Short mmCIF file of all heavy atoms in Angstrom, two decimals:
data_model
loop_
_atom_site.label_atom_id
_atom_site.label_comp_id
_atom_site.label_asym_id
_atom_site.label_seq_id
_atom_site.Cartn_x
_atom_site.Cartn_y
_atom_site.Cartn_z
N VAL A 18 0.84 -1.19 0.00
CA VAL A 18 0.00 0.00 0.00
C VAL A 18 0.88 1.24 0.00
O VAL A 18 1.73 1.41 0.89
CB VAL A 18 -0.94 0.03 1.23
CG1 VAL A 18 -1.78 1.30 1.23
CG2 VAL A 18 -1.82 -1.20 1.25
N SER A 19 0.69 2.11 -0.98
CA SER A 19 1.42 3.37 -1.04
C SER A 19 0.82 4.36 -0.05
O SER A 19 -0.37 4.67 -0.14
CB SER A 19 1.37 3.95 -2.46
OG SER A 19 2.03 3.09 -3.38
N LEU A 20 1.62 4.83 0.86
CA LEU A 20 1.19 5.76 1.90
C LEU A 20 1.75 7.14 1.57
O LEU A 20 2.95 7.29 1.36
CB LEU A 20 1.66 5.30 3.27
CG LEU A 20 1.25 3.87 3.66
CD1 LEU A 20 1.96 3.43 4.94
CD2 LEU A 20 -0.26 3.79 3.83
N THR A 21 0.90 8.14 1.52
CA THR A 21 1.29 9.45 1.03
C THR A 21 1.00 10.55 2.05
O THR A 21 0.12 10.41 2.91
CB THR A 21 0.53 9.78 -0.27
OG1 THR A 21 -0.88 9.73 -0.02
CG2 THR A 21 0.87 8.78 -1.37
N ASN A 22 1.75 11.63 1.94
CA ASN A 22 1.52 12.83 2.76
C ASN A 22 1.45 12.51 4.25
O ASN A 22 0.60 13.03 4.98
CB ASN A 22 0.24 13.54 2.32
CG ASN A 22 0.27 13.94 0.85
OD1 ASN A 22 1.26 14.49 0.38
ND2 ASN A 22 -0.81 13.65 0.15
N LEU A 23 2.35 11.65 4.68
CA LEU A 23 2.26 11.14 6.05
C LEU A 23 2.52 12.19 7.12
O LEU A 23 2.08 12.03 8.26
CB LEU A 23 3.24 9.97 6.22
CG LEU A 23 2.86 8.69 5.47
CD1 LEU A 23 3.96 7.66 5.59
CD2 LEU A 23 1.54 8.13 5.99
N ASP A 24 3.22 13.25 6.77
CA ASP A 24 3.56 14.24 7.78
C ASP A 24 2.59 15.41 7.83
O ASP A 24 2.81 16.38 8.55
CB ASP A 24 4.99 14.75 7.55
CG ASP A 24 6.01 13.62 7.74
OD1 ASP A 24 5.72 12.69 8.52
OD2 ASP A 24 7.08 13.67 7.11
N GLN A 25 1.48 15.30 7.09
CA GLN A 25 0.45 16.33 7.17
C GLN A 25 -0.33 16.21 8.48
O GLN A 25 -0.55 15.11 8.97
CB GLN A 25 -0.53 16.21 6.01
CG GLN A 25 0.00 16.65 4.67
CD GLN A 25 -1.08 16.60 3.59
OE1 GLN A 25 -2.18 16.09 3.81
NE2 GLN A 25 -0.75 17.13 2.42
N PRO A 26 -0.78 17.34 9.05
CA PRO A 26 -1.67 17.26 10.21
C PRO A 26 -2.93 16.47 9.86
O PRO A 26 -3.43 16.55 8.74
CB PRO A 26 -2.01 18.73 10.50
CG PRO A 26 -0.89 19.50 9.89
CD PRO A 26 -0.47 18.73 8.67
N LEU A 27 -3.42 15.71 10.81
CA LEU A 27 -4.57 14.85 10.55
C LEU A 27 -5.85 15.67 10.37
O LEU A 27 -6.63 15.46 9.45
CB LEU A 27 -4.72 13.84 11.69
CG LEU A 27 -5.52 12.58 11.45
CD1 LEU A 27 -5.06 11.86 10.18
CD2 LEU A 27 -5.42 11.65 12.65
N PHE A 28 -6.08 16.61 11.28
CA PHE A 28 -7.20 17.56 11.18
C PHE A 28 -6.94 18.65 12.22
O PHE A 28 -6.05 18.49 13.08
CB PHE A 28 -8.57 16.89 11.40
CG PHE A 28 -8.69 16.13 12.69
CD1 PHE A 28 -9.10 16.74 13.87
CD2 PHE A 28 -8.42 14.76 12.73
CE1 PHE A 28 -9.22 16.04 15.05
CE2 PHE A 28 -8.55 14.04 13.91
CZ PHE A 28 -8.94 14.69 15.08
N ASP A 29 -7.65 19.72 12.16
CA ASP A 29 -7.46 20.81 13.12
C ASP A 29 -7.73 20.31 14.54
O ASP A 29 -8.79 19.76 14.83
CB ASP A 29 -8.40 21.98 12.81
CG ASP A 29 -8.01 22.73 11.55
OD1 ASP A 29 -6.86 22.56 11.10
OD2 ASP A 29 -8.84 23.48 11.02
N GLY A 30 -6.74 20.50 15.40
CA GLY A 30 -6.89 20.07 16.79
C GLY A 30 -6.55 18.62 17.04
O GLY A 30 -6.67 18.14 18.17
N ALA A 31 -6.09 17.91 16.02
CA ALA A 31 -5.81 16.48 16.18
C ALA A 31 -4.60 16.22 17.06
O ALA A 31 -4.51 15.17 17.71
CB ALA A 31 -5.59 15.84 14.81
N GLU A 32 -3.65 17.15 17.06
CA GLU A 32 -2.37 16.95 17.76
C GLU A 32 -1.70 15.67 17.27
O GLU A 32 -1.04 14.95 18.03
CB GLU A 32 -2.58 16.92 19.28
CG GLU A 32 -3.18 18.19 19.84
CD GLU A 32 -3.48 18.11 21.32
OE1 GLU A 32 -2.93 17.21 21.99
OE2 GLU A 32 -4.28 18.94 21.81
N ALA A 33 -1.91 15.37 15.99
CA ALA A 33 -1.37 14.15 15.40
C ALA A 33 -1.28 14.35 13.89
O ALA A 33 -2.02 15.15 13.31
CB ALA A 33 -2.25 12.94 15.71
N THR A 34 -0.39 13.60 13.27
CA THR A 34 -0.24 13.61 11.83
C THR A 34 -0.88 12.37 11.22
O THR A 34 -1.27 11.44 11.94
CB THR A 34 1.24 13.64 11.43
OG1 THR A 34 1.85 12.41 11.89
CG2 THR A 34 1.96 14.84 12.04
N LYS A 35 -0.95 12.37 9.90
CA LYS A 35 -1.44 11.18 9.22
C LYS A 35 -0.53 9.99 9.52
O LYS A 35 -1.01 8.85 9.65
CB LYS A 35 -1.51 11.44 7.72
CG LYS A 35 -2.11 10.31 6.90
CD LYS A 35 -2.22 10.70 5.44
CE LYS A 35 -2.62 9.53 4.56
NZ LYS A 35 -2.65 9.89 3.13
N ARG A 36 0.77 10.23 9.67
CA ARG A 36 1.69 9.15 10.04
C ARG A 36 1.31 8.55 11.40
O ARG A 36 1.33 7.33 11.59
CB ARG A 36 3.12 9.66 10.08
CG ARG A 36 4.15 8.56 10.41
CD ARG A 36 5.56 9.13 10.56
NE ARG A 36 5.99 9.80 9.32
CZ ARG A 36 6.46 9.15 8.26
NH1 ARG A 36 6.53 7.83 8.27
NH2 ARG A 36 6.85 9.83 7.21
N ASP A 37 0.96 9.42 12.35
CA ASP A 37 0.55 8.92 13.67
C ASP A 37 -0.66 7.99 13.54
O ASP A 37 -0.73 6.95 14.23
CB ASP A 37 0.20 10.08 14.61
CG ASP A 37 1.41 10.90 14.99
OD1 ASP A 37 2.50 10.31 15.19
OD2 ASP A 37 1.28 12.14 15.11
N LEU A 38 -1.62 8.37 12.69
CA LEU A 38 -2.80 7.53 12.49
C LEU A 38 -2.41 6.19 11.89
O LEU A 38 -2.82 5.13 12.40
CB LEU A 38 -3.79 8.24 11.55
CG LEU A 38 -4.98 7.38 11.08
CD1 LEU A 38 -5.90 7.06 12.25
CD2 LEU A 38 -5.74 8.07 9.96
N VAL A 39 -1.63 6.21 10.81
CA VAL A 39 -1.25 4.97 10.13
C VAL A 39 -0.41 4.08 11.06
O VAL A 39 -0.62 2.87 11.14
CB VAL A 39 -0.50 5.28 8.83
CG1 VAL A 39 0.08 4.00 8.23
CG2 VAL A 39 -1.43 5.95 7.82
N ASP A 40 0.54 4.70 11.76
CA ASP A 40 1.37 3.91 12.69
C ASP A 40 0.52 3.28 13.78
O ASP A 40 0.74 2.12 14.18
CB ASP A 40 2.43 4.81 13.33
CG ASP A 40 3.57 5.14 12.37
OD1 ASP A 40 3.66 4.50 11.30
OD2 ASP A 40 4.38 6.03 12.72
N TYR A 41 -0.46 4.03 14.30
CA TYR A 41 -1.32 3.48 15.34
C TYR A 41 -2.15 2.31 14.80
O TYR A 41 -2.19 1.24 15.43
CB TYR A 41 -2.26 4.56 15.89
CG TYR A 41 -3.35 3.97 16.76
CD1 TYR A 41 -3.07 3.52 18.05
CD2 TYR A 41 -4.63 3.78 16.26
CE1 TYR A 41 -4.05 2.92 18.83
CE2 TYR A 41 -5.63 3.20 17.03
CZ TYR A 41 -5.32 2.76 18.31
OH TYR A 41 -6.29 2.15 19.06
N LEU A 42 -2.80 2.50 13.66
CA LEU A 42 -3.62 1.42 13.10
C LEU A 42 -2.77 0.17 12.84
O LEU A 42 -3.22 -0.95 13.10
CB LEU A 42 -4.28 1.89 11.80
CG LEU A 42 -5.36 2.97 11.94
CD1 LEU A 42 -5.80 3.46 10.57
CD2 LEU A 42 -6.57 2.45 12.72
N ASP A 43 -1.56 0.38 12.35
CA ASP A 43 -0.68 -0.76 12.08
C ASP A 43 -0.28 -1.46 13.38
O ASP A 43 -0.21 -2.69 13.44
CB ASP A 43 0.56 -0.27 11.33
CG ASP A 43 1.18 -1.34 10.44
OD1 ASP A 43 0.54 -2.41 10.25
OD2 ASP A 43 2.28 -1.11 9.92
N ALA A 44 -0.06 -0.67 14.43
CA ALA A 44 0.37 -1.25 15.71
C ALA A 44 -0.74 -2.07 16.37
O ALA A 44 -0.47 -3.07 17.04
CB ALA A 44 0.82 -0.14 16.65
N VAL A 45 -2.00 -1.66 16.17
CA VAL A 45 -3.11 -2.36 16.83
C VAL A 45 -3.87 -3.27 15.86
O VAL A 45 -4.96 -3.74 16.17
CB VAL A 45 -4.11 -1.37 17.49
CG1 VAL A 45 -3.39 -0.52 18.52
CG2 VAL A 45 -4.82 -0.52 16.46
N ARG A 46 -3.31 -3.54 14.70
CA ARG A 46 -4.05 -4.28 13.66
C ARG A 46 -4.53 -5.63 14.13
O ARG A 46 -5.62 -6.08 13.76
CB ARG A 46 -3.19 -4.43 12.40
CG ARG A 46 -1.93 -5.27 12.58
CD ARG A 46 -1.12 -5.32 11.28
NE ARG A 46 0.05 -6.18 11.37
CZ ARG A 46 1.25 -5.77 11.75
NH1 ARG A 46 1.44 -4.51 12.12
NH2 ARG A 46 2.27 -6.62 11.79
N ASP A 47 -3.74 -6.31 14.97
CA ASP A 47 -4.16 -7.64 15.42
C ASP A 47 -5.28 -7.57 16.45
O ASP A 47 -5.86 -8.60 16.79
CB ASP A 47 -2.97 -8.39 16.02
CG ASP A 47 -1.94 -8.76 14.96
OD1 ASP A 47 -2.31 -8.84 13.77
OD2 ASP A 47 -0.75 -8.95 15.32
N ARG A 48 -5.59 -6.38 16.96
CA ARG A 48 -6.73 -6.21 17.88
C ARG A 48 -7.95 -5.65 17.16
O ARG A 48 -9.07 -6.10 17.41
CB ARG A 48 -6.37 -5.27 19.02
CG ARG A 48 -5.39 -5.84 20.04
CD ARG A 48 -4.03 -5.33 19.77
NE ARG A 48 -3.10 -5.54 20.88
CZ ARG A 48 -1.79 -5.33 20.77
NH1 ARG A 48 -1.28 -4.89 19.63
NH2 ARG A 48 -0.99 -5.53 21.79
N ILE A 49 -7.74 -4.66 16.28
CA ILE A 49 -8.90 -4.01 15.66
C ILE A 49 -9.47 -4.82 14.51
O ILE A 49 -10.69 -4.84 14.31
CB ILE A 49 -8.57 -2.56 15.22
CG1 ILE A 49 -9.86 -1.81 14.89
CG2 ILE A 49 -7.60 -2.54 14.04
CD1 ILE A 49 -9.67 -0.32 14.66
N ILE A 50 -8.62 -5.52 13.75
CA ILE A 50 -9.16 -6.29 12.61
C ILE A 50 -10.15 -7.36 13.07
O ILE A 50 -11.20 -7.53 12.43
CB ILE A 50 -8.01 -6.88 11.77
CG1 ILE A 50 -7.30 -5.75 11.00
CG2 ILE A 50 -8.54 -7.92 10.78
CD1 ILE A 50 -6.05 -6.19 10.26
N PRO A 51 -9.92 -8.08 14.17
CA PRO A 51 -10.92 -9.07 14.59
C PRO A 51 -12.29 -8.47 14.90
O PRO A 51 -13.30 -9.15 14.72
CB PRO A 51 -10.29 -9.69 15.85
CG PRO A 51 -8.82 -9.56 15.63
CD PRO A 51 -8.66 -8.22 14.94
#
C-alpha cells in the first residue's frame, strides 16, 4: 500500500499527523481487525 503525505496534520486540533494515524492502526491491527 502506497502511503502518502504522512507528515500532514490529521485535522485541526488532532495533535497528530497522518503518520501517527497509520502507525497506530498498524500497531493495533491484530486487535482491531478481529
